[in-house]
PDB file of all heavy atoms in Angstrom:
ATOM      1  N   ILE O  21       2.918   9.879   5.212  1.00 51.00           N
ATOM      2  CA  ILE O  21       2.006  10.987   5.372  1.00 51.00           C
ATOM      3  C   ILE O  21       0.611  10.390   5.691  1.00 51.00           C
ATOM      4  O   ILE O  21       0.231   9.410   5.045  1.00 51.00           O
ATOM      5  CB  ILE O  21       1.911  11.736   4.073  1.00 51.00           C
ATOM      6  CG1 ILE O  21       3.345  12.401   3.896  1.00 51.00           C
ATOM      7  CG2 ILE O  21       0.830  12.865   4.242  1.00 51.00           C
ATOM      8  CD1 ILE O  21       3.517  13.158   2.636  1.00 51.00           C
ATOM      9  N   LEU O  22      -0.111  10.858   6.641  1.00 53.00           N
ATOM     10  CA  LEU O  22      -1.450  10.423   6.955  1.00 53.00           C
ATOM     11  C   LEU O  22      -2.534  11.137   6.274  1.00 53.00           C
ATOM     12  O   LEU O  22      -2.430  12.362   6.213  1.00 53.00           O
ATOM     13  CB  LEU O  22      -1.602  10.521   8.519  1.00 53.00           C
ATOM     14  CG  LEU O  22      -0.520   9.769   9.329  1.00 53.00           C
ATOM     15  CD1 LEU O  22      -0.741  10.007  10.870  1.00 53.00           C
ATOM     16  CD2 LEU O  22      -0.644   8.278   9.106  1.00 53.00           C
ATOM     17  N   ASP O  37       2.665  10.600  -3.117  1.00 86.00           N
ATOM     18  CA  ASP O  37       3.628  10.183  -2.092  1.00 86.00           C
ATOM     19  C   ASP O  37       4.500   9.024  -2.651  1.00 86.00           C
ATOM     20  O   ASP O  37       5.769   9.055  -2.379  1.00 86.00           O
ATOM     21  CB  ASP O  37       2.901   9.656  -0.778  1.00 86.00           C
ATOM     22  CG  ASP O  37       2.275  10.766  -0.052  1.00 86.00           C
ATOM     23  OD1 ASP O  37       2.536  11.850  -0.189  1.00 86.00           O
ATOM     24  OD2 ASP O  37       1.377  10.375   0.809  1.00 86.00           O
ATOM     25  N   MET O  38       3.977   8.091  -3.308  1.00 88.00           N
ATOM     26  CA  MET O  38       4.780   7.073  -3.912  1.00 88.00           C
ATOM     27  C   MET O  38       5.783   7.642  -4.843  1.00 88.00           C
ATOM     28  O   MET O  38       6.933   7.223  -4.825  1.00 88.00           O
ATOM     29  CB  MET O  38       3.921   5.981  -4.615  1.00 88.00           C
ATOM     30  CG  MET O  38       3.170   5.023  -3.728  1.00 88.00           C
ATOM     31  SD  MET O  38       2.252   3.756  -4.574  1.00 88.00           S
ATOM     32  CE  MET O  38       3.614   2.861  -5.351  1.00 88.00           C
ATOM     33  N   SER O  40       7.104  10.630  -4.802  1.00 87.00           N
ATOM     34  CA  SER O  40       8.116  11.333  -4.043  1.00 87.00           C
ATOM     35  C   SER O  40       9.076  10.419  -3.275  1.00 87.00           C
ATOM     36  O   SER O  40      10.207  10.781  -3.007  1.00 87.00           O
ATOM     37  CB  SER O  40       7.467  12.321  -2.989  1.00 87.00           C
ATOM     38  OG  SER O  40       6.878  11.560  -1.917  1.00 87.00           O
ATOM     39  N   LEU O  41       8.607   9.158  -2.986  1.00 87.00           N
ATOM     40  CA  LEU O  41       9.497   8.186  -2.369  1.00 87.00           C
ATOM     41  C   LEU O  41      10.249   7.313  -3.348  1.00 87.00           C
ATOM     42  O   LEU O  41      11.031   6.399  -3.041  1.00 87.00           O
ATOM     43  CB  LEU O  41       8.641   7.293  -1.560  1.00 87.00           C
ATOM     44  CG  LEU O  41       7.903   7.805  -0.311  1.00 87.00           C
ATOM     45  CD1 LEU O  41       6.933   6.964   0.378  1.00 87.00           C
ATOM     46  CD2 LEU O  41       8.968   8.306   0.723  1.00 87.00           C
ATOM     47  N   LEU O  43       8.822   5.388  -5.672  1.00 87.00           N
ATOM     48  CA  LEU O  43       8.034   4.193  -5.905  1.00 87.00           C
ATOM     49  C   LEU O  43       7.077   4.350  -7.102  1.00 87.00           C
ATOM     50  O   LEU O  43       6.304   3.437  -7.376  1.00 87.00           O
ATOM     51  CB  LEU O  43       7.241   3.830  -4.644  1.00 87.00           C
ATOM     52  CG  LEU O  43       8.025   3.550  -3.436  1.00 87.00           C
ATOM     53  CD1 LEU O  43       7.047   3.381  -2.237  1.00 87.00           C
ATOM     54  CD2 LEU O  43       8.864   2.307  -3.558  1.00 87.00           C
ATOM     55  N   SER O  52      -3.042   3.299   2.627  1.00 87.00           N
ATOM     56  CA  SER O  52      -1.862   3.534   3.569  1.00 87.00           C
ATOM     57  C   SER O  52      -2.317   3.265   4.916  1.00 87.00           C
ATOM     58  O   SER O  52      -3.525   3.090   5.255  1.00 87.00           O
ATOM     59  CB  SER O  52      -1.513   5.147   3.473  1.00 87.00           C
ATOM     60  OG  SER O  52      -2.515   5.846   3.995  1.00 87.00           O
ATOM     61  N   ASP O  53      -1.352   3.017   5.806  1.00 85.00           N
ATOM     62  CA  ASP O  53      -1.583   2.674   7.229  1.00 85.00           C
ATOM     63  C   ASP O  53      -0.445   3.337   8.027  1.00 85.00           C
ATOM     64  O   ASP O  53       0.642   2.913   7.935  1.00 85.00           O
ATOM     65  CB  ASP O  53      -1.546   1.183   7.358  1.00 85.00           C
ATOM     66  CG  ASP O  53      -1.811   0.697   8.793  1.00 85.00           C
ATOM     67  OD1 ASP O  53      -2.489   1.515   9.491  1.00 85.00           O
ATOM     68  OD2 ASP O  53      -1.482  -0.396   9.185  1.00 85.00           O
ATOM     69  N   ASN O  54      -0.780   4.395   8.722  1.00 84.00           N
ATOM     70  CA  ASN O  54       0.170   5.126   9.516  1.00 84.00           C
ATOM     71  C   ASN O  54       1.384   5.547   8.784  1.00 84.00           C
ATOM     72  O   ASN O  54       2.476   5.434   9.282  1.00 84.00           O
ATOM     73  CB  ASN O  54       0.522   4.249  10.767  1.00 84.00           C
ATOM     74  CG  ASN O  54      -0.609   4.012  11.684  1.00 84.00           C
ATOM     75  OD1 ASN O  54      -1.412   4.937  12.084  1.00 84.00           O
ATOM     76  ND2 ASN O  54      -0.745   2.786  12.205  1.00 84.00           N
ATOM     77  N   GLY O  55       1.106   6.002   7.627  1.00 83.00           N
ATOM     78  CA  GLY O  55       2.270   6.559   6.856  1.00 83.00           C
ATOM     79  C   GLY O  55       2.890   5.540   5.879  1.00 83.00           C
ATOM     80  O   GLY O  55       3.646   5.854   5.060  1.00 83.00           O
ATOM     81  N   ASP O  56       2.675   4.210   6.118  1.00 90.00           N
ATOM     82  CA  ASP O  56       3.195   3.172   5.260  1.00 90.00           C
ATOM     83  C   ASP O  56       2.224   2.975   4.106  1.00 90.00           C
ATOM     84  O   ASP O  56       1.048   3.224   4.266  1.00 90.00           O
ATOM     85  CB  ASP O  56       3.333   1.846   6.055  1.00 90.00           C
ATOM     86  CG  ASP O  56       4.327   2.036   7.305  1.00 90.00           C
ATOM     87  OD1 ASP O  56       5.308   2.846   7.161  1.00 90.00           O
ATOM     88  OD2 ASP O  56       4.121   1.374   8.286  1.00 90.00           O
ATOM     89  N   ILE O  57       2.723   2.447   3.014  1.00 90.00           N
ATOM     90  CA  ILE O  57       1.893   2.376   1.826  1.00 90.00           C
ATOM     91  C   ILE O  57       1.792   0.975   1.273  1.00 90.00           C
ATOM     92  O   ILE O  57       2.866   0.302   1.171  1.00 90.00           O
ATOM     93  CB  ILE O  57       2.439   3.237   0.688  1.00 90.00           C
ATOM     94  CG1 ILE O  57       2.452   4.740   1.155  1.00 90.00           C
ATOM     95  CG2 ILE O  57       1.643   3.065  -0.599  1.00 90.00           C
ATOM     96  CD1 ILE O  57       3.088   5.636   0.118  1.00 90.00           C
ATOM     97  N   TYR O  58       0.611   0.448   1.081  1.00 92.00           N
ATOM     98  CA  TYR O  58       0.360  -0.797   0.413  1.00 92.00           C
ATOM     99  C   TYR O  58       0.170  -0.405  -1.053  1.00 92.00           C
ATOM    100  O   TYR O  58      -0.567   0.524  -1.420  1.00 92.00           O
ATOM    101  CB  TYR O  58      -0.923  -1.512   0.854  1.00 92.00           C
ATOM    102  CG  TYR O  58      -0.826  -2.032   2.337  1.00 92.00           C
ATOM    103  CD1 TYR O  58      -1.246  -1.218   3.358  1.00 92.00           C
ATOM    104  CD2 TYR O  58      -0.408  -3.278   2.524  1.00 92.00           C
ATOM    105  CE1 TYR O  58      -1.168  -1.741   4.691  1.00 92.00           C
ATOM    106  CE2 TYR O  58      -0.337  -3.792   3.806  1.00 92.00           C
ATOM    107  CZ  TYR O  58      -0.747  -2.996   4.858  1.00 92.00           C
ATOM    108  OH  TYR O  58      -0.675  -3.561   6.213  1.00 92.00           O
ATOM    109  N   TYR O  59       0.848  -1.125  -1.915  1.00 93.00           N
ATOM    110  CA  TYR O  59       0.748  -0.904  -3.398  1.00 93.00           C
ATOM    111  C   TYR O  59       0.730  -2.180  -4.158  1.00 93.00           C
ATOM    112  O   TYR O  59       1.205  -3.240  -3.623  1.00 93.00           O
ATOM    113  CB  TYR O  59       1.822   0.075  -3.917  1.00 93.00           C
ATOM    114  CG  TYR O  59       3.225  -0.550  -3.862  1.00 93.00           C
ATOM    115  CD1 TYR O  59       3.799  -1.132  -4.966  1.00 93.00           C
ATOM    116  CD2 TYR O  59       4.071  -0.427  -2.780  1.00 93.00           C
ATOM    117  CE1 TYR O  59       4.973  -1.734  -5.005  1.00 93.00           C
ATOM    118  CE2 TYR O  59       5.335  -1.003  -2.752  1.00 93.00           C
ATOM    119  CZ  TYR O  59       5.803  -1.605  -3.911  1.00 93.00           C
ATOM    120  OH  TYR O  59       7.064  -2.101  -3.924  1.00 93.00           O
ATOM    121  N   LEU O  68       3.879  -4.163   0.998  1.00 94.00           N
ATOM    122  CA  LEU O  68       3.798  -3.061   2.082  1.00 94.00           C
ATOM    123  C   LEU O  68       5.192  -2.412   2.128  1.00 94.00           C
ATOM    124  O   LEU O  68       6.146  -3.050   2.323  1.00 94.00           O
ATOM    125  CB  LEU O  68       3.486  -3.739   3.449  1.00 94.00           C
ATOM    126  CG  LEU O  68       3.648  -2.822   4.666  1.00 94.00           C
ATOM    127  CD1 LEU O  68       2.707  -1.572   4.493  1.00 94.00           C
ATOM    128  CD2 LEU O  68       3.372  -3.517   5.970  1.00 94.00           C
ATOM    129  N   TYR O  69       5.110  -1.082   1.908  1.00 94.00           N
ATOM    130  CA  TYR O  69       6.300  -0.264   1.911  1.00 94.00           C
ATOM    131  C   TYR O  69       6.307   0.484   3.212  1.00 94.00           C
ATOM    132  O   TYR O  69       5.421   1.212   3.529  1.00 94.00           O
ATOM    133  CB  TYR O  69       6.339   0.625   0.683  1.00 94.00           C
ATOM    134  CG  TYR O  69       7.531   1.539   0.741  1.00 94.00           C
ATOM    135  CD1 TYR O  69       8.789   1.102   0.240  1.00 94.00           C
ATOM    136  CD2 TYR O  69       7.508   2.864   1.233  1.00 94.00           C
ATOM    137  CE1 TYR O  69       9.927   1.911   0.231  1.00 94.00           C
ATOM    138  CE2 TYR O  69       8.584   3.685   1.250  1.00 94.00           C
ATOM    139  CZ  TYR O  69       9.774   3.200   0.658  1.00 94.00           C
ATOM    140  OH  TYR O  69      10.930   4.080   0.704  1.00 94.00           O
ATOM    141  N   LEU O  70       7.360   0.176   4.054  1.00 93.00           N
ATOM    142  CA  LEU O  70       7.521   0.973   5.239  1.00 93.00           C
ATOM    143  C   LEU O  70       8.280   2.286   4.976  1.00 93.00           C
ATOM    144  O   LEU O  70       9.478   2.232   4.648  1.00 93.00           O
ATOM    145  CB  LEU O  70       8.288   0.207   6.330  1.00 93.00           C
ATOM    146  CG  LEU O  70       7.681  -1.100   6.813  1.00 93.00           C
ATOM    147  CD1 LEU O  70       8.574  -1.737   7.826  1.00 93.00           C
ATOM    148  CD2 LEU O  70       6.310  -0.828   7.411  1.00 93.00           C
ATOM    149  N   ALA O  71       7.584   3.391   5.142  1.00 87.00           N
ATOM    150  CA  ALA O  71       8.172   4.695   4.843  1.00 87.00           C
ATOM    151  C   ALA O  71       9.396   5.064   5.708  1.00 87.00           C
ATOM    152  O   ALA O  71      10.400   5.589   5.262  1.00 87.00           O
ATOM    153  CB  ALA O  71       7.132   5.777   4.886  1.00 87.00           C
ATOM    154  N   ASP O  72       9.246   4.718   7.001  1.00 88.00           N
ATOM    155  CA  ASP O  72      10.380   5.027   7.906  1.00 88.00           C
ATOM    156  C   ASP O  72      11.615   4.256   7.592  1.00 88.00           C
ATOM    157  O   ASP O  72      12.764   4.775   7.798  1.00 88.00           O
ATOM    158  CB  ASP O  72       9.981   4.758   9.355  1.00 88.00           C
ATOM    159  CG  ASP O  72       8.956   5.746   9.897  1.00 88.00           C
ATOM    160  OD1 ASP O  72       8.769   6.854   9.304  1.00 88.00           O
ATOM    161  OD2 ASP O  72       8.248   5.429  10.827  1.00 88.00           O
ATOM    162  N   ASP O  73      11.503   3.021   7.156  1.00 90.00           N
ATOM    163  CA  ASP O  73      12.614   2.203   6.819  1.00 90.00           C
ATOM    164  C   ASP O  73      12.977   2.210   5.393  1.00 90.00           C
ATOM    165  O   ASP O  73      13.982   1.650   4.959  1.00 90.00           O
ATOM    166  CB  ASP O  73      12.357   0.749   7.263  1.00 90.00           C
ATOM    167  CG  ASP O  73      12.190   0.511   8.717  1.00 90.00           C
ATOM    168  OD1 ASP O  73      12.720   1.413   9.511  1.00 90.00           O
ATOM    169  OD2 ASP O  73      11.635  -0.534   9.163  1.00 90.00           O
ATOM    170  N   SER O  74      12.152   2.850   4.535  1.00 90.00           N
ATOM    171  CA  SER O  74      12.413   2.955   3.030  1.00 90.00           C
ATOM    172  C   SER O  74      12.617   1.515   2.447  1.00 90.00           C
ATOM    173  O   SER O  74      13.605   1.249   1.642  1.00 90.00           O
ATOM    174  CB  SER O  74      13.622   3.753   2.795  1.00 90.00           C
ATOM    175  OG  SER O  74      13.319   5.025   3.211  1.00 90.00           O
ATOM    176  N   ARG O  75      11.694   0.651   2.799  1.00 92.00           N
ATOM    177  CA  ARG O  75      11.790  -0.695   2.126  1.00 92.00           C
ATOM    178  C   ARG O  75      10.509  -1.441   2.245  1.00 92.00           C
ATOM    179  O   ARG O  75       9.632  -1.094   2.966  1.00 92.00           O
ATOM    180  CB  ARG O  75      12.885  -1.589   2.941  1.00 92.00           C
ATOM    181  CG  ARG O  75      12.558  -1.863   4.375  1.00 92.00           C
ATOM    182  CD  ARG O  75      13.632  -2.524   5.138  1.00 92.00           C
ATOM    183  NE  ARG O  75      13.267  -2.607   6.529  1.00 92.00           N
ATOM    184  CZ  ARG O  75      12.915  -3.841   7.072  1.00 92.00           C
ATOM    185  NH1 ARG O  75      12.779  -4.931   6.304  1.00 92.00           N
ATOM    186  NH2 ARG O  75      12.498  -3.898   8.301  1.00 92.00           N
ATOM    187  N   ASP O  76      10.371  -2.480   1.338  1.00 92.00           N
ATOM    188  CA  ASP O  76       9.194  -3.352   1.252  1.00 92.00           C
ATOM    189  C   ASP O  76       9.455  -4.405   2.373  1.00 92.00           C
ATOM    190  O   ASP O  76      10.508  -5.002   2.452  1.00 92.00           O
ATOM    191  CB  ASP O  76       9.092  -3.975  -0.093  1.00 92.00           C
ATOM    192  CG  ASP O  76       8.716  -2.991  -1.171  1.00 92.00           C
ATOM    193  OD1 ASP O  76       8.039  -2.050  -0.944  1.00 92.00           O
ATOM    194  OD2 ASP O  76       9.267  -3.256  -2.335  1.00 92.00           O
ATOM    195  N   VAL O  77       8.441  -4.684   3.131  1.00 92.00           N
ATOM    196  CA  VAL O  77       8.569  -5.709   4.164  1.00 92.00           C
ATOM    197  C   VAL O  77       7.661  -6.946   3.968  1.00 92.00           C
ATOM    198  O   VAL O  77       7.988  -8.036   4.569  1.00 92.00           O
ATOM    199  CB  VAL O  77       8.432  -5.169   5.566  1.00 92.00           C
ATOM    200  CG1 VAL O  77       9.513  -4.137   5.932  1.00 92.00           C
ATOM    201  CG2 VAL O  77       7.076  -4.447   5.755  1.00 92.00           C
TER     202      VAL O  77
END
Side-chain angles (χ1 to χ4, degrees):
I21 298 174
L22 302 175
D37 288 346
M38 284 185 66
S40 72
L41 294 168
L43 299 171
S52 68
D53 182 24
N54 294 317
D56 300 326
I57 299 174
Y58 291 93
Y59 69 92
L68 170 59
Y69 178 82
L70 296 181
D72 289 343
D73 293 340
S74 300
R75 63 187 177 101
D76 294 324
V77 293

